[in-house]
Amino acid sequence: MRLISSNESDAYAGARAIAPVAVVIGVVAIVFGVLARGAGLTAPAAIVMSATTFAGSAQFAAVSVLASSGTVATAATTAALLMSRYLLMGSAVAQKLPGGPIRRFALAQLVVDETWGVAFARRQFSERRLFGAGLVLYATHVGCTAVGAIGGMRIVDPTVFGLDAAFPALFVVLLKPHLANSSGRAAAVFGATAALLLTPFAPAGIPLLGAAATSLLDLPAGDAS
């Protein structure tokens, strides 16, 4: 099954455009692999999670919940809430992906924030750019997770390398773009408030789940609008 036509110039352009981002994603994926091992996941489990989820923020949130002794259900729900923005992105892309359901489904798996931006460069969607960018980013994400997860078996205490700060640091970086609009700022305030109110008495992982639930406030102003 071919996902793109024989004209691969746009696919190459997409791959080239995403390359600098892929370097950063690769580093993040290595850190995720190490921390996933520290949270109790096996190397295959961490790799499969990256291959099936393909969303760094959701993966870090889920592993953070597990690392704090939260339940699998809480981790999965938190990740699902953080990925809710893809509902809007998916509905927008659905109108532009040609072909049958299998082809459309396969291409849709490559839609993440970064590949979305490349695919819609110059306000004109290109499935070939999406494919090129998505393929590079997906391979980097999964491959570097494997490097971190397998190499992480040699790291007894990740805190020695300061990797315990990766969770909060990542979310601070992810937060900045959303502070540019009022709904994003509101979501940030409500999220912080929910986490602070729940932390003293809620079970592990629930404060993060409550904070993630407030992310729904920012959906109307997301990139898919």
Side-chain angles (χ1 to χ4, degrees):
M1 178 185 66
R2 291 186 62 84
L3 295 179
I4 58 174
S5 70
S6 58
N7 182 5
E8 298 181 342
S9 59
D10 278 355
Y12 175 75
R16 183 162 45 83
I18 207 69
V21 178
V23 174
V24 178
I25 294 299
V27 174
V28 172
I30 290 173
V31 173
F32 168 76
V34 173
L35 294 179
R37 291 287 298 164
L41 272 69
T42 63
I47 296 168
V48 169
M49 186 180 187
S50 281
T52 56
T53 306
F54 193 28
S57 60
Q59 291 176 238
F60 269 87
V63 169
S64 179
V65 171
L66 295 175
S68 60
S69 302
T71 65
V72 173
T74 300
T77 304
T78 301
L81 286 171
L82 286 173
M83 294 179 69
S84 60
R85 67 188 185 279
Y86 290 121
L87 293 173
L88 289 179
M89 294 172 68
S91 63
V93 171
Q95 304 169 17
K96 300 179 181 297
L97 293 181
I102 295 179
R103 183 173 185 270
R104 289 159 59 86
F105 178 81
L107 279 170
Q109 306 316 301
L110 300 178
V111 178
V112 293
D113 300 277
E114 296 84 3
T115 59
W116 167 275
V118 172
F120 276 94
R122 299 174 184 173
R123 298 187 177 275
Q124 184 175 3
F125 177 79
S126 168
E127 63 170 304
R128 300 188 188 99
R129 283 200 303 270
L130 172 64
F131 178 80
L135 193 63
V136 169
L137 208 61
Y138 183 82
T140 301
H141 184 65
V142 177
C144 288
T145 295
V147 171
I150 296 172
M153 292 187 290
R154 299 178 177 273
I155 301 177
V156 178
D157 184 7
T159 62
V160 172
F161 299 93
L163 295 180
D164 55 319
F167 287 131
L170 173 69
F171 284 102
V172 168
V173 172
L174 293 174
L175 174 65
K176 184 178 179 180
H178 296 281
L179 297 179
N181 57 73
S182 58
S183 62
R185 289 191 292 271
V189 171
F190 283 119
T193 302
L196 288 173
L197 292 177
L198 290 170
T199 295
F201 61 86
I206 297 300
L208 184 56
L209 175 59
T214 64
S215 65
L216 297 175
L217 293 173
D218 195 29
L219 278 178
D223 291 339
S225 60

